[in-house]
Amino acid sequence: MDNSKRPLGVIGMVFGDYAMLQRWFDYYAAQVGAENLYLFSHGNDPQHHAIAKGAHVIGVPRDRDVIKFDARRWRMMSHFASGYLNYYNWMLVTDIDEIFAVDPEVSPSLVEYLESKFSDISTAPTSISPLGLNIVHVPEEEPLPIVSDQTILSRRRYFYPSRVYSKPTLVRAPVIFGPGGHRNNLGPRTLSDDLYLIHLKFCDFTDIVARTQNKNGFMDDMVIGGAVDVDKVRREKTLASYQELRNQFILAEENIKLPEFREKMKKQRPKYMNSYIWGNAKSNKLYQIPSRFSGLV
């Protein structure tokens, strides 16, 4: 790596979501140090400042008339990440329910992994994608609730592999991300054998219900503010999506390598200028994440 720069900076953005922010902050602060975290607080919430002590918490206005909110925020984070590459070898951009992790069997931390894997950063890919693991709560198999003094992965192990959440958001070159960070403009993608994006959106049924209600309240505010037409508003579908997942998927064994799934993903194709999307890899199984991951988050 370039020794004149720090190894890795991490960017996130949050509205409310205090419990998940605490998990995000604790994990990434342990990985890179709180001083290398940049958190955009939607609404400049004082509680975000209190949770993310030592991180750089930056207020972003929360107006009811925001149009194309997701595209705006990812464009903002693209520019921020690109600029901070003057001071960091790598920048990672995440949503607050996303844990970007290296297999503990391979390396104890992201920084140590990147330093050993890409000691000569000039030969590294301009962006790296993890394999996306969508954690899904299976209450009949995992009845214990999520509690603050226990890691989520000690109580939730079922996941389905997701090409959509194999997001190219670890970058070493100036970048423009598409909405959600699901694509970038850095050309063909590189899928890591050792990195995983652990997506926690569906990790707890009780939280899914509460989150759906909260986000629909935000959309109601946008309708009231005149930002969107009531007939065109996109309602939050987290609960419906969860129920659909549970109906589609069958329970399966512990497995995280998934070579056939990965090979289908790698048959990527261009979609927009300098942007690629993964091949059409699908699975109808909920696999189990190995227990060695249980202490991460």
Side-chain angles (χ1 to χ4, degrees), residues 136-142 157-160 242 245-254 283-288:
V136 177
H137 188 196
V138 182
E140 63 271 24
E141 298 287 331
E142 303 168 323
R157 293 183 61 194
Y158 286 99
F159 73 90
Y160 71 91
Y242 168 81
L245 287 174
R246 288 304 317 277
N247 291 333
Q248 289 180 347
F249 286 81
I250 60 175
L251 303 187
E253 73 281 2
E254 180 180 292
S283 173
N284 68 338
K285 293 182 178 181
L286 289 178
Y287 296 99
Q288 296 179 60

Side-chain angles (χ1 to χ4, degrees), residues 195-212:
L195 299 173
Y196 298 89
L197 190 152
I198 301 167
H199 186 216
L200 299 171
K201 182 177 183 178
F202 299 116
C203 76
D204 188 71
F205 179 74
T206 300
D207 180 69
I208 289 168
V209 174
R211 185 178 298 215
T212 298

Side-chain angles (χ1 to χ4, degrees), residues 255-271:
N255 190 348
I256 204 170
K257 294 302 182 184
L258 304 171
E260 293 181 3
F261 187 89
R262 290 173 181 268
E263 285 306 309
K264 289 179 181 178
M265 279 182 58
K266 290 176 182 177
K267 296 176 182 178
Q268 55 187 299
R269 59 184 175 86
K271 186 167 185 180

Side-chain angles (χ1 to χ4, degrees), residues 19-294:
M20 193 63 77
L21 172 59
Q22 188 70 67
R23 303 272 184 180
W24 184 94
F25 174 75
D26 289 346
Y27 172 76
Y28 286 110
Q31 290 287 316
V32 303
E35 68 276 13
N36 297 305
L37 302 181
Y38 299 86
L39 179 68
F40 289 101
S41 170
H42 192 201
N44 201 21
D45 190 330
Q47 190 66 19
H48 295 160
H49 292 261
I51 292 170
K53 290 181 179 177
H56 306 275
V57 182
I58 305 161
V60 176
R62 181 181 184 268
D63 298 323
R64 294 192 303 187
D65 58 350
V66 172
I67 299 172
K68 296 183 178 180
F69 168 70
D70 204 42
R72 286 190 186 197
R73 74 186 186 96
W74 277 93
R75 186 163 59 245
M76 174 188 70
M77 292 191 290
S78 299
H79 293 311
F80 194 90
S82 297
Y84 263 74
L85 285 169
N86 287 287
Y87 300 95
Y88 289 90
N89 284 278
W90 297 92
M91 289 300 294
L92 171 63
V93 186
T94 76
D95 272 329
I96 220 67
D97 57 2
E98 296 173 352
I99 300 299
F100 197 105
V102 61
D103 187 336
E105 195 172 64
V106 174
S107 180
S109 74
L110 288 172
V111 170
E112 290 184 46
Y113 175 76
L114 292 171
E115 286 178 335
S116 63
K117 185 80 171 178
F118 305 110
S119 56
D120 181 359
I121 195 170
S122 67
T123 65
T126 52
S127 73
I128 299 175
S129 299
L131 181 64
L133 310 180
N134 272 344
I135 303 297
V136 177
H137 188 196
V138 182
E140 63 271 24
E141 298 287 331
E142 303 168 323
L144 292 177
I146 299 296
V147 291
S148 60
D149 62 348
Q150 298 290 327
T151 62
I152 292 174
L153 296 182
S154 67
R155 300 190 170 198
R156 304 287 187 266
R157 293 183 61 194
Y158 286 99
F159 73 90
Y160 71 91
S162 170
R163 63 188 177 96
V164 174
Y165 279 89
S166 299
K167 297 162 68 169
T169 56
L170 176 63
V171 300
R172 69 168 186 87
V175 65
I176 296 295
F177 294 110
H182 296 288
R183 55 180 172 83
N184 67 31
N185 66 336
L186 295 178
R189 300 181 179 190
T190 298
L191 179 64
S192 171
D193 292 331
D194 306 315
L195 299 173
Y196 298 89
L197 190 152
I198 301 167
H199 186 216
L200 299 171
K201 182 177 183 178
F202 299 116
C203 76
D204 188 71
F205 179 74
T206 300
D207 180 69
I208 289 168
V209 174
R211 185 178 298 215
T212 298
Q213 293 171 342
N214 182 54
K215 289 193 175 180
N216 279 337
F218 178 52
M219 295 307 300
D220 290 340
D221 283 349
M222 292 181 69
V223 171
I224 292 170
V228 293
D229 188 280
V230 66
D231 295 326
K232 297 180 180 179
V233 67
R234 294 180 60 185
R235 307 299 296 178
E236 173 60 30
K237 297 179 180 179
T238 302
L239 180 57
S241 297
Y242 168 81
Q243 292 167 334
E244 184 178 351
L245 287 174
R246 288 304 317 277
N247 291 333
Q248 289 180 347
F249 286 81
I250 60 175
L251 303 187
E253 73 281 2
E254 180 180 292
N255 190 348
I256 204 170
K257 294 302 182 184
L258 304 171
E260 293 181 3
F261 187 89
R262 290 173 181 268
E263 285 306 309
K264 289 179 181 178
M265 279 182 58
K266 290 176 182 177
K267 296 176 182 178
Q268 55 187 299
R269 59 184 175 86
K271 186 167 185 180
Y272 303 99
M273 184 173 293
N274 297 322
S275 292
Y276 283 70
I277 59 173
W278 294 119
N280 192 25
K282 295 181 179 179
S283 173
N284 68 338
K285 293 182 178 181
L286 289 178
Y287 296 99
Q288 296 179 60
I289 194 169
S291 59
R292 64 181 180 270
F293 285 80
S294 64

